[in-house]
Amino acid sequence: MSLPPLVEPVDALSDAERIRTARHRSLIPLGELGQRRLRAAHVAIMGAGGLGSPVVLALAAAGVGTLTVIDDDDVELTNLQRQVVHRLSDVGRPKVDSAVRAAADLSPETVVVPVRERLTRENGAELLRGADLVIDGTDTFETREAVAATTEELGIPLVWGTVQGFDAQVTVFWSQPPAGAAPVRLSDVYPPGSVGELPTCAMVGVLGALCMQVGSLLAIEAVKLITGVGEPLLGRMLVIDGLRGRQSEVAIRAATARATTPSATPATPAPIPHVDAIPAGTLVVDVREPHETALGTIPGARLIPLGELLEDPASLRGAPPVIVVCQAGVRARRAAQALREAGVEASVLSGGMDAWTSLERSTA
C-alpha cells in the first residue's frame, strides 16, 4: 500500500540542484515536489561497507539533503571487491571518510555527517536522533538488533537488507507506521535469540555485484518513503536468488497484530523447533546453493535451494517430517517457517552443516 510522504519539502531547490536532478523532476509522480522532499530529508546509513557504499552513492546522487554515515571500521584491501565507495588509496583510512568524499563529488549540496562509532543499545538513540529513516547495511546481527530496537524506540522506519553468498533479503520495518498500515518489526521475522552467530563474508563469500543491486533497492525504498510514491516493502520481504536471477516475495505478518486481533488474523505461530540429531524416518532437506552442496552434504539429503523451496513449500506436503539444514541455520529457519505455514511438519538442524561436520569429525 502507498504511504504518505515522510518529510515536508524545502521551499525551493537551488538552480544548480534543479539542473542536476532534472531527470528526477520529470518523473511522475515524484516530480519537483518529491525532489524538494528528498532535499529536506535526513537519512542515517548504518555501515559504509558492501550495502552502505551503493546507498551513499545512490542517495547523494538523488539529492538527499543530509546523510549520517555510521561506521567504525577502516578500509581493507579485501573490501574493494564490493564496497564501491572506497578506492585503493583509501586502504587503512576510515570508511566514513570515503563516504564524505564520494558524496561531495556527486552532490555538493548534500551534507554528510561521518560518525566513526559502533552503534549499541546504549548510544543508538543519540546517534540516530534527528534522522527521518534509517538504512541498515551492517554485518552482525547484534548490531542489527540494536539498530532495530533504536528505530522502534524513535518510531522511525528501518529499511533493512542483507546479503550472503548469492542470496539477499530486502524489507522495511516500522513500529509506528501511518494509520492503516500494520507495524512490522525485526522480531517478527527473527525472534530474539533465534539467529545465533552468523557466518561472516570471509567464511562463505559474497557476490560483489549483488551488494550493489541490494544497495540500490535499499535506496529506492528510502526514496519511496521520503516522497510518498509507490508501495514500500512494509509487510513484504523481497528474497533474491542471485544465481538463478529470481526474485520472490514473502509476506511478513506482525506477531503483535496476530496476538491481539481475536479473529481477523491467525494465531501467533509456535517457535520453530530445533533438533541436535537427525531422527530415523525424517527427510533432510538441504536449502543451500549447488556450489555449497557440491562440497558435501548429509547423506540422503534432498537438495532444494532456498529460493526454489520458498516458491512452493506446499510441494513437500505428505512427506515424512522434515529436518531443514543450511550452512549455519539462518536460511533453514526461513525455510522451516514457510514449510510449517504450508502445513508441513518441519524442524531445523541446530548449527546447520557447520555443527554436523564438527560432530562427524569428532566421532570419526
Side-chain angles (χ1 to χ4, degrees), residues 1-18:
M1 63 180 295
S2 298
L3 299 175
L6 198 58
V7 301
E8 293 299 315
V10 296
D11 292 335
L13 300 171
S14 69
D15 290 341
E17 192 68 354
R18 282 179 56 82

Side-chain angles (χ1 to χ4, degrees), residues 130-190:
D132 297 305
L133 66 85
V134 177
I135 298 178
D136 190 353
T138 55
D139 57 4
T140 69
F141 209 81
E142 179 184 6
T143 302
R144 287 180 176 274
E145 288 183 318
V147 174
T150 304
T151 56
E152 289 174 23
E153 176 187 338
L154 298 175
I156 58 178
L158 172 62
V159 181
W160 190 92
T162 180
V163 176
Q164 190 170 86
F166 294 93
D167 304 310
Q169 303 172 356
V170 181
T171 191
V172 173
F173 298 116
W174 200 348
S175 62
Q176 299 176 36
V184 183
R185 301 170 175 85
L186 175 66
S187 57
D188 293 319
V189 181
Y190 298 107

